[in-house]
Amino acid sequence: MKALLQKQRDAFVAEGFVSAETRVDRLDRAISLLHDNRDTIADALDQDFGNRSRHQTLMELYATLESLKHAKKRVRRWMKQDKRKVPLPLALVGAKARVEYQPKGVVGILGTWNFPINTTFSPLAGVLAAGNRVMIKFSEVSPATATLMAGLVASTFDETEVACVSGGPEVGAAFSSLPFDHLCFTGSATVGKHVMRAAAENLTPVTLELGGKSPVIIARDSDLEDAAVRIMTGKALNSGQACLGPDYIMVAEDQLEDFIAHATKWTGEMFPTLLDNVDCCSVINERHLRRLRSYVEEAVSAGADVREINPAGEDFGPQEGAYKMPFTFVVNAGEDLKIMQEEIFGPLLVIKTYEHLEECTAYINSHPRPLGLYIFSRDEATQRHLLDRTVSGGACINDVMVHASIEDLPFGGVGSSGIGHYRGFNGFKTFSHARAVYKQSKLNLQRLSGMVPPYGERADKVLARIIRK
Ligand code: NAD
């Protein structure tokens, strides 16, 4: 990996200015790679998950292609030098200032298994638009996709442009200790800390795209049925294995049963059956199935109110090649339970009831800052109130997760849900160095005004004139 990084860095230095044509060409090749191989990619993901909805994989590809196409269309505009104001009297004598967005050099991207294409190729849009070279490590938890993508990347790009490395946590650890010019990590907060520690040794700047428990607040005035439909539709994506998936819902006490009824009805309509239903995504592997089941078992044995949505009354015992489990609500469980503390990342949802809306903001503010925050209310004052009293990576009003599909919005967390952001122009800026360039005028004003040693009366006068409140 070290040798590869050196090769990429040498090529970067030899290239000098990275033209818009080169950047567009690289983006184009990434676009074709995803577009032309969409069926094989869908097959690989299906193999990794045991069952990954083909439609959901195509949605992942669509979202990622949008990132690449958005960057391709705008890269020329983004690259334009950004003129800045020079103060008087320097401006009068022709001094000029500008910001030039310069590629950082070689960027490392570490991706996850849940959306292996999106967590690597969506940042790639900003990385390539900014003119960088890049090394990508796909997650070992989705090996078929990782192998396929490594092959596709190798046949599409020279290894000095875009290269893939494969392996598990040890490779990840070695990868993140390479002296990259920027490291973009998507994954858990636990691993994110290791990555940031390793990057600190090289003073490599990091973008950390982490997860956490994203809350939903359903205000009393909301359209409860619409809220239930939108929340469960979002939760159904990848069976809740999404960083932005709703993790816990806060609903008024007196609306709890209505909410559950609407959510159960809609989930049954989306998935009349689960086990043989190709639309219902499997949990990624046995380890995660065991983890999720243990949350439910712990809640049941603690006497929590657990409601399973199993429309066809199927038996979720041993399954062949897949690890499905029904969507399940855990209502008003004790705070000490695992499901209340850990990111769920699966088809389970916590529901907490409230009497007063203030209880929701108090609860959210007493927990780590979430990646997403979802507000259901028809009242603008309530929406404003909830936005002003919480901090989260992003927020969505009257829906869940959709904000992340808007290319023109920055995508990223805050606090323990992440550091920095990418997407659109924000991605271009993240992976560029904003270099300040100042061009001096022919006249040496400093010397002419006596602002050079030996300082004397003229310098005193100038300073007395310019130092003002
Ligand atoms: P993970 O942290 O286990 O792994 C992420 C990547 O880090 C993998 O490529 C893995 O091989 C690598 N890795 C493992 N140990 C490492 C180490 N010690 N040093 C360096 N790299 C190491 O995450 P995951 O299980 O693949 O994904 C789930 C998590 O990712 C969830 O917390 C989820 O919320 C988060 N996520 C965030 C986003 C986002 O955009 N914010 C998107 C998807 C997933």
Side-chain angles (χ1 to χ4, degrees):
M1 287 194 288
K2 271 188 192 152
L4 188 54
L5 172 61
Q6 192 54 51
K7 265 194 196 172
Q8 291 209 347
R9 184 157 289 138
D10 292 345
F12 172 75
V13 172
E15 187 175 17
F17 176 70
V18 188
S19 69
E21 290 68 35
T22 301
R23 299 179 196 208
V24 166
D25 168 55
R26 288 174 187 160
L27 287 163
D28 253 338
R29 279 184 276 152
I31 290 166
S32 297
L33 185 158
L34 295 186
H35 178 269
D36 299 351
N37 296 287
R38 55 193 187 282
D39 291 334
T40 346
I41 295 172
D43 289 346
L45 268 158
D46 192 42
Q47 191 184 328
D48 282 330
F49 275 79
N51 175 195
R52 165 55 116 81
S53 150
R54 181 182 168 69
H55 290 87
Q56 293 186 4
T57 295
L58 292 179
M59 282 187 240
E60 178 181 355
L61 288 174
Y62 163 74
T64 316
L65 280 165
E66 285 304 298
S67 298
L68 293 159
K69 280 156 53 186
H70 182 94
K72 180 188 156 188
K73 198 168 165 193
R74 290 163 182 80
V75 64
R76 283 190 170 79
R77 196 186 322 152
W78 294 344
M79 284 172 71
K80 284 219 169 93
Q81 290 173 3
D82 186 359
K83 285 191 188 132
R84 297 297 168 100
K85 276 216 156 62
V86 175
L88 294 172
L90 288 166
L92 284 177
V93 294
K96 299 244 180 329
R98 61 178 184 264
V99 172
E100 288 184 6
Y101 290 106
Q102 189 175 37
K104 287 189 167 175
V106 185
V107 177
I109 297 179
L110 279 152
T112 59
W113 53 262
N114 66 324
F115 290 114
I117 308 301
N118 192 258
T119 57
T120 49
F121 269 54
S122 183
L124 184 70
V127 169
L128 293 181
N132 298 287
R133 308 286 172 141
V134 53
M135 286 168 62
I136 303 174
K137 191 194 100 54
F138 285 89
S139 168
E140 73 286 1
V141 181
S142 43
T145 310
T147 307
L148 173 71
M149 290 304 289
L152 292 175
V153 166
S155 57
T156 310
F157 293 98
D158 186 82
E159 65 168 357
T160 60
E161 294 179 304
V162 184
C164 294
V165 300
S166 45
E170 307 76 36
V171 175
F175 187 88
S176 47
S177 58
L178 293 173
F180 285 113
D181 300 298
H182 194 105
L183 196 50
C184 179
F185 168 80
T186 304
S188 60
T190 312
V191 176
K193 287 179 194 170
H194 291 300
V195 169
M196 194 166 172
R197 235 176 262 130
E201 281 304 313
N202 302 307
L203 292 177
T204 295
V206 289
T207 300
L208 300 181
E209 297 288 348
L210 313 176
K213 296 179 85 62
S214 294
V216 183
I217 307 172
I218 305 177
R220 272 202 174 80
D221 72 290
S222 73
D223 177 337
L224 205 58
E225 184 179 359
D226 184 61
V229 165
R230 291 181 190 270
I231 293 166
M232 295 315 290
T233 306
K235 190 70 182 176
L237 183 67
N238 226 19
S239 281
Q241 299 165 102
C243 56
L244 278 168
D247 188 285
Y248 64 96
I249 300 170
M250 304 174 104
V251 63
E253 238 163 52
D254 47 312
Q255 294 184 325
L256 171 70
E257 293 307 329
D258 279 351
F259 172 78
I260 291 184
H262 288 308
T264 306
K265 181 168 174 282
W266 174 243
T267 307
E269 283 178 35
M270 286 192 290
F271 304 110
T273 63
L274 298 165
L275 285 176
D276 293 330
N277 188 341
V278 290
D279 290 344
C280 173
C281 183
S282 168
V283 169
I284 184 75
N285 56 29
E286 198 180 351
R287 182 170 68 86
H288 279 281
L289 182 69
R290 256 189 276 119
R291 174 183 66 81
L292 290 161
R293 278 192 179 150
S294 76
Y295 293 171
V296 177
E297 283 156 16
E298 188 192 27
V300 169
S301 53
D305 177 1
V306 175
R307 322 245 190 129
E308 196 180 89
I309 310 177
N310 184 355
E314 290 168 289
D315 176 4
F316 286 84
Q319 300 161 43
E320 213 163 289
Y323 307 95
K324 291 192 182 182
M325 75 186 294
F327 293 91
T328 304
F329 294 125
V330 175
V331 187
N332 285 332
E335 282 303 313
D336 54 326
L337 297 187
K338 276 246 163 59
I339 196 165
M340 302 303 288
Q341 293 173 4
E342 307 283 331
E343 176 180 8
I344 296 174
F345 221 61
L348 317 175
L349 259 166
V350 162
I351 304 183
K352 279 177 71 67
T353 56
Y354 68 83
E355 208 181 327
H356 304 290
L357 206 55
E358 264 54 42
E359 293 162 38
C360 301
T361 50
Y363 186 84
I364 291 166
N365 287 325
S366 65
H367 287 77
R369 288 175 168 168
L371 184 63
L373 179 105
Y374 309 121
I375 297 167
F376 285 87
S377 168
R378 284 180 281 205
D379 175 38
E380 289 211 5
T382 305
Q383 297 166 5
R384 192 66 263 161
H385 177 89
L386 294 170
L387 284 174
D388 289 343
R389 277 160 188 76
T390 52
V391 180
S392 64
C396 201
I397 298 166
N398 291 328
D399 210 334
V400 298
M401 305 162 84
V402 186
H403 63 292
S405 66
I406 310 298
E407 273 303 314
D408 222 12
L409 286 175
F411 176 68
V414 57
S416 56
S417 57
I419 294 176
H421 39 243
Y422 63 84
R423 290 275 159 83
F425 189 42
N426 290 95
F428 173 84
K429 283 199 285 189
T430 289
F431 302 116
S432 297
H433 166 56
R435 187 189 215 180
V437 178
Y438 175 77
K439 194 169 169 196
Q440 189 56 282
S441 83
K442 279 190 187 148
L443 274 184
N444 190 335
L445 279 190
Q446 213 177 350
R447 196 168 163 196
L448 284 173
S449 60
M451 289 300 297
V452 288
Y455 297 115
E457 217 174 295
R458 287 177 62 217
D460 288 343
K461 273 191 189 152
V462 171
L463 287 169
R465 205 170 57 240
I466 63 174
I467 299 180
R468 274 182 271 157
K469 275 207 265 187

